[in-house]
Amino acid sequence: QVQLVESGGGLVQAGGSLRLSCAASGSIFSTNTMGWYRQAPGKQREWVAHIRTTGSTNYADSVKGRFTISRDNARNTVFLQMNSLKPEDTAIYYCAALKFPPVWGQGTQVTVSS
């Protein structure tokens, strides 16, 4: 069974940085686009970024220029480097393998204080 495990969340001051990691079991990385999503309290889950098997990336406008998604297929790991963090980035961040049906991680909390 494929599993995704996120790590790297925490509490950071506005303007700071965090790097999230998502480790996958199995060979899911080699054949699937991987994505990061987030869900703030009282809000719906929203897409943050994704990276295809080719390495091409897309970002939500709210994080463009501040966040960078990358993948290491040899380590079955996808990363999200988050810089210039803002309080509105506070959310639970989820990693996902964008296959049908999608596979989700359990999430990691990111809290940005003002």
Side-chain angles (χ1 to χ4, degrees):
Q1 183 178 357
V2 176
Q3 289 185 320
L4 302 176
V5 179
E6 300 98 333
S7 61
L11 173 64
V12 64
Q13 288 188 332
S17 298
L18 283 174
R19 189 193 195 204
L20 305 183
S21 299
C22 172
S25 62
S27 61
I28 194 170
F29 271 48
S30 62
T31 57
N32 290 285
T33 296
M34 301 297 298
W36 285 98
Y37 291 72
R38 66 187 182 185
Q39 187 166 17
K43 295 187 177 181
Q44 291 188 336
R45 189 172 300 189
E46 65 174 1
W47 167 71
V48 174
H50 66 248
I51 182 167
R52 300 176 183 83
T53 56
T54 59
S56 65
T57 59
N58 289 92
Y59 298 91
D61 288 343
S62 59
V63 307
K64 199 172 295 182
R66 300 188 297 122
F67 291 10
T68 302
I69 188 172
S70 60
R71 63 193 293 160
D72 184 339
N73 289 338
R75 296 167 56 190
N76 284 354
T77 303
V78 64
F79 304 98
L80 186 68
Q81 178 67 43
M82 306 186 295
N83 299 328
S84 302
L85 283 162
K86 305 174 181 180
E88 51 263 44
D89 294 319
T90 295
I92 299 174
Y93 283 72
Y94 297 91
C95 172
L98 302 180
K99 59 189 296 289
F100 185 80
V103 177
W104 295 92
Q106 83 289 350
T108 185
Q109 176 70 48
V110 172
T111 302
V112 184
S113 63
S114 57

